[in-house]
Amino acid sequence: MAGAVGVSGELESVRVTRILRDDIVLGRRAPGSRLVERDIAAELNVSRLPVREAIRTLVAEGVVVARPRTWAVVREFTHDDIRNFAEVREAIETLIFVFAAERHDAKGLARLREAYEREVAAARAGDAETARTAAAAFHEIAVDLAGNEMLGELIAVFLTRLRWLFGQHDDLEAMAEEHRVILEAVRARDVEALRRIVPAHLASGHSAAERRLAQTATT
């Protein structure tokens, strides 16, 4: 049942959604790969219903495409998708970090620093998945620090797509260093610096996504 609860107390449909989402965002399930309900159900030891619910959720989040009378597949993004998302992301996330700088408290700043420290430690250890997950957390914590419900709702609409498109950077230590610079600007409440730094940081992720797409097209 989709409403069944696992041993951890988490709804089965929520757990399956989380696992599939992470598989897609972290590149374990490649663009264009099929999501077969019975296979996933057997893999995760659940019924097909929570798998079906998870796939519906991921379709709504924009990272899975439902194909009538055939398998759902992991979405294949285009260069236009990347450009369009990059333009929207720059406007929204720059504002998020500006507000985070203006409105953060000591507890919030400590959360942001902890995410950065997890990221840099994982990057130095060559643990790509942990580094990328911590990098995503860095941006998500900034949303909380911004303290603007409307911005939070806007970013939530395409958060999973953003994580997939821009979260698979290869130079982990360079990305962590960019987050250190942003962290220090937030700490100093240096809004003008953030208006320069954040767009440049996001452009790095945009370039990495374009390179990855080009590499996929040639394989």
Side-chain angles (χ1 to χ4, degrees):
M1 296 177 59
V5 178
V7 294
S8 66
E10 186 176 33
L11 285 173
E12 291 286 18
S13 58
V14 173
R15 182 176 72 89
V16 173
T17 301
R18 174 175 52 78
I19 291 170
L20 291 180
R21 182 188 294 117
D22 285 347
D23 281 351
I24 292 168
V25 167
L26 295 171
R28 300 182 196 126
R29 295 181 188 269
S33 60
R34 301 189 305 178
L35 300 174
V36 183
E37 286 182 14
R38 66 171 180 273
D39 293 347
I40 296 170
E43 176 186 338
L44 300 180
N45 194 29
V46 296
S47 70
R48 292 176 65 170
L49 186 54
V51 176
R52 190 171 304 136
E53 291 296 326
I55 289 173
R56 286 175 183 163
T57 298
L58 295 172
V59 168
E61 291 181 4
V63 292
V64 168
V65 177
R67 294 180 175 171
R69 295 179 296 279
T70 185
W71 319 110
V73 298
V74 177
R75 180 174 175 178
E76 298 179 87
F77 288 93
T78 67
H79 289 287
D80 284 343
D81 289 328
I82 293 173
R83 185 190 68 251
N84 292 338
F85 278 116
E87 290 171 351
V88 173
R89 186 190 190 201
E90 178 179 327
I92 292 178
E93 288 213 51
T94 299
L95 197 54
I96 284 170
F97 278 103
V98 165
F99 285 162
E102 293 175 337
R103 300 171 181 176
H104 73 266
D105 57 16
K107 185 177 179 180
L109 189 65
R111 289 177 60 209
L112 199 64
R113 180 174 296 280
E114 191 274 335
Y116 158 71
E117 289 174 350
R118 279 191 287 116
E119 179 188 4
V120 73
R124 289 170 179 168
D127 183 349
E129 287 195 4
T130 300
R132 289 167 181 159
T133 299
F138 184 90
H139 284 259
E140 290 164 22
I141 292 166
V143 176
D144 292 341
L145 270 56
N148 184 296
E149 186 176 338
M150 182 65 71
L151 276 177
E153 290 175 1
L154 285 171
I155 203 78
V157 170
F158 46 83
L159 182 60
T160 302
R161 280 170 285 182
L162 288 176
R163 284 186 62 200
W164 188 93
L165 280 169
F166 304 111
Q168 296 186 48
H169 41 271
D170 297 318
D171 194 339
L172 302 173
E173 292 194 47
M175 188 62 61
E177 173 60 18
E178 290 181 15
H179 282 160
R180 184 195 64 78
V181 173
I182 291 172
L183 173 64
E184 290 307 310
V186 170
R187 181 192 60 77
R189 303 187 190 275
D190 190 342
V191 168
E192 292 309 311
L194 286 165
R195 292 188 189 280
R196 299 190 306 272
I197 294 166
V198 173
H201 167 66
L202 300 180
S204 296
H206 181 188
S207 297
E210 290 281 8
R211 288 194 301 271
R212 191 173 66 254
L213 185 60
Q215 290 167 356
T216 301
T218 59
T219 57

